[in-house]
Amino acid sequence: MIKKRIGSQTIKFPNPPSIIGTSSIVGPKEGDGPLKDYFDIILEDDTWAQESFEKAEAKIQEEAIKLAISNANISMNDLQYLVSGDLLNQIISSSYTARQITLPYFGLYGACSTMTESLSIGSMIVEGGFADKVVCATSSHFSSAERQFRFPLEYGSQRSFASQWTVTGAGATILSATGEGPYITYITPGKIKDFGITDTNNMGGAMAPAAIDTISQHFKDTGYNPDDYDLIITGDLGLVGKRIVLDLMRKEGYDLSQNYTDCGIKIFDGVEQDTHAGGSGCACSAVVFNGYIYKEMLKGNLNRVLLISTGALHSPISTLQGESIPGIAHAVTIDNLKD
Amino acid sequence: MDKMNNKEYQKYAEQKIPKPTYFKNIINAFLVGGTICLIGQIIRNILFRFELGEESVASATAIILVFIGSFLTGIGVYDTIGKIGGAGAAIPITGFANSIVAPAMEYKREGLIFGVAAKMFTIAGPVLVYGIGSSVVVGILYLMFTAGR
């Protein structure tokens, strides 16, 4: 048996699964942002003519999956599993999407880390020989997240400077045992890190330790250095989390100043669009990866990318009870070459 | 990273947050809150011309301001006023109207009973409970200190 694990937390795939198609659908605000040219569909109406924001989010995810299938030039029958998740209670967006998609379904809850969590599990299924092709997807919606985690939309409150803006959108990735790349070559699933942050307006600060732990463990396990990557990008740490990652990674002995950024910073123009610390939500890293990163990799502008989606695994109830925010971060290496 | 304990990290993370623009916020709160109060005063002065009594004018002024606050919430303007004005927009009675109408609108899709009616007081509820509660306490204290005079 080939030993696929290296170091203490990383998996190296001897036969890396290939990404054969992706899709990204975003709302109007994201479609106004700096990455607008990379998204497949930009909605003019963030309810997409649905009667609730929850239904709209499920529709966005469903359409993203169908679009990824058509972008990969395959049909639904070629796929064996759907691996997806989202932010809403009992992951309803994903389950109602799975109701429409006739595939065996693994529902995940990793909050905003869902994109790399689904890519990790999808890769293991494909590389392990349990499926030929799987689809990994996730979604979030500003308005469905606001009403679950924060205030009604029309309530006149002020947002803190550390707060972030949930991205409306969905991304889907088709992984295949065969293909021309880009490939998923390594995954480093993360451990929960919780340094006792209770302020739900400071998600970046709450999740940064998990990102730092996973990234440094990834380097230790793989022997890679920051220089080996064209881009190292976290999911939704925003401006506050990015500062912490740069600062504390330097103290760990890794200089990320040349090639590190965050999807939440890339997706919005923080000043123009008044998003404070940046974007967040499952869709943040999903649309930045399936839109921007994937297309830049196909063009050859990026060749090896470390994507680390980050999640804050609290709930409105745990927050009210004064519990701190458990952070998680899963890293995935996407490479144009098999190794 | 592991060398830091929770307290040290929390203090460190706190320093990385941009400082709130207190001075600008205070000025904005003064201007927005002041404008709302000025509008209230104008309404009050107009109502006095109709020769209503003091009590009726106070009630009518409050009713009109609540209507304005609710209306501006309904057409999607009050959240912007609140964003700029902060406490200046939240504390006047128009802000109270906003805090009730906003959840009532938001939860319409969950139905009239368990949505609108049940969720209507999610923000204003605590204000009502402790507002009415403290008025009872003050009332009792008033009675205790003035009884027998």
Side-chain angles (χ1 to χ4, degrees), chain A residues 214-260:
Chain A
T214 301
I215 298 170
S216 37
Q217 194 60 50
H218 176 83
F219 289 144
K220 280 178 207 147
D221 289 349
T222 57
Y224 278 148
N225 286 309
D227 299 343
D228 293 318
Y229 283 99
D230 296 327
L231 177 67
I232 297 168
I233 189 162
T234 44
D236 59 348
L237 294 182
L239 289 169
V240 176
K242 181 183 172 178
R243 276 181 209 159
I244 296 174
V245 167
L246 280 175
D247 192 25
L248 294 184
M249 283 301 286
R250 193 178 305 117
K251 288 183 184 151
E252 301 269 320
Y254 300 103
D255 177 17
L256 302 187
S257 59
Q258 297 309 310
N259 52 358
Y260 166 69

Side-chain angles (χ1 to χ4, degrees), chain B residues 43 47 56-70 93 97:
Chain B
I43 292 169
L47 287 173
S56 307
V57 168
S59 309
T61 309
I63 290 166
I64 293 169
L65 284 172
V66 164
F67 171 78
I68 295 172
S70 308
I93 202 163

Side-chain angles (χ1 to χ4, degrees), chain A residues 51-54 143 147 151-158 161-162 193-197 199 202 205-206 208-209 212-213 240 243-244 247-248 251-252 274, chain B residues 1-2 4-6 9-10 12-13 16-21 25 73 76-79 82-87 98-99 102-103 105-107 109-110 123:
Chain A
E51 62 202 50
S52 71
F53 293 122
E54 289 76 9
S143 301
R147 73 206 305 264
F151 291 117
L153 293 179
E154 296 302 333
Y155 179 59
S157 59
Q158 284 180 324
F161 281 133
K193 288 282 153 181
D194 186 342
F195 277 77
I197 301 265
D199 178 7
N202 187 13
I212 292 161
D213 187 66
V240 176
R243 276 181 209 159
I244 296 174
D247 192 25
L248 294 184
K251 288 183 184 151
E252 301 269 320
D274 194 28
Chain B
M1 187 78 234
D2 289 328
M4 247 187 215
N5 69 31
N6 284 12
Y9 179 75
Q10 286 159 27
Y12 165 82
K16 298 284 168 186
I17 301 176
K19 292 278 160 288
T21 45
N25 290 0
T73 305
V77 174
Y78 208 89
D79 59 328
K83 186 175 179 293
I84 300 164
N98 169 253
S99 74
M105 288 166 66
E106 181 80 33
Y107 292 99
R109 292 184 185 97
E110 279 79 2
I123 302 168

Side-chain angles (χ1 to χ4, degrees), chain B residues 137-148:
Chain B
V137 173
V138 171
I140 292 170
L141 288 175
Y142 177 78
L143 259 184
M144 278 165 56
F145 287 106
T146 56

